[in-house]
Amino acid sequence: QVQLVESGGGLVQPGGSLRLSCAASGIDFRNYDMNWYRQAPGQQRALVAGITSIGGTTYAGSVKGRFTISRDNTKNTVYLQMKTLTPEDTAVYSCQAVPREEYTGMVYWGKGTLVTVSS
């Protein structure tokens, strides 16, 4: 059974930091690109950051320079380090696993973790 389990969300003050984790099980983690998405109230889900199976990264413009995505293939875990948070970063953050090119597999989603940035 495939599971993606996010953790690390919570309430943080503006300017603060959080680190999200997404632990994967039931997949060959090394063969998956991993993405973080977020969905704010009343808005569509949007890509925040992605990291390929070989470590290439991409970021949404709104988080570039503040967020860092990384992965630990020994722990089957992808991380999202978030700094200088603003109320606009408030959202449910979800991780997504996408099979890398030339690898047969399905796309999987976690259930998400809520990040609230408020004073």
Side-chain angles (χ1 to χ4, degrees):
Q1 181 181 1
V2 176
Q3 282 192 312
L4 299 179
V5 180
E6 300 95 338
S7 61
L11 175 64
V12 63
Q13 291 188 340
S17 300
L18 279 177
R19 189 178 81 154
L20 306 183
S21 300
C22 171
S25 59
I27 60 172
D28 188 354
F29 187 75
R30 300 166 301 167
N31 284 306
Y32 279 79
D33 299 338
M34 299 297 297
N35 299 311
W36 282 100
Y37 281 78
R38 68 185 180 186
Q39 186 168 21
Q43 297 186 22
Q44 291 189 332
R45 186 163 53 188
L47 177 66
V48 175
I51 185 166
T52 69
S53 60
I54 58 173
T57 59
T58 184
Y59 296 94
S62 60
V63 307
K64 195 172 294 185
R66 299 189 298 123
F67 290 11
T68 303
I69 188 170
S70 62
R71 64 189 296 158
D72 185 340
N73 288 347
T74 67
K75 297 181 179 179
N76 290 358
T77 300
V78 61
Y79 304 97
L80 186 68
Q81 178 69 53
M82 307 185 294
K83 299 180 179 179
T84 320
L85 287 161
T86 74
E88 288 68 37
D89 295 314
T90 295
V92 174
Y93 286 71
S94 302
C95 65
Q96 179 198 46
V98 179
R100 67 170 178 82
E101 192 174 351
E102 301 179 347
Y103 182 79
T104 300
M106 296 177 60
V107 176
Y108 300 101
W109 287 91
K111 294 183 178 180
T113 185
L114 177 63
V115 172
T116 303
V117 184
S118 175
S119 55

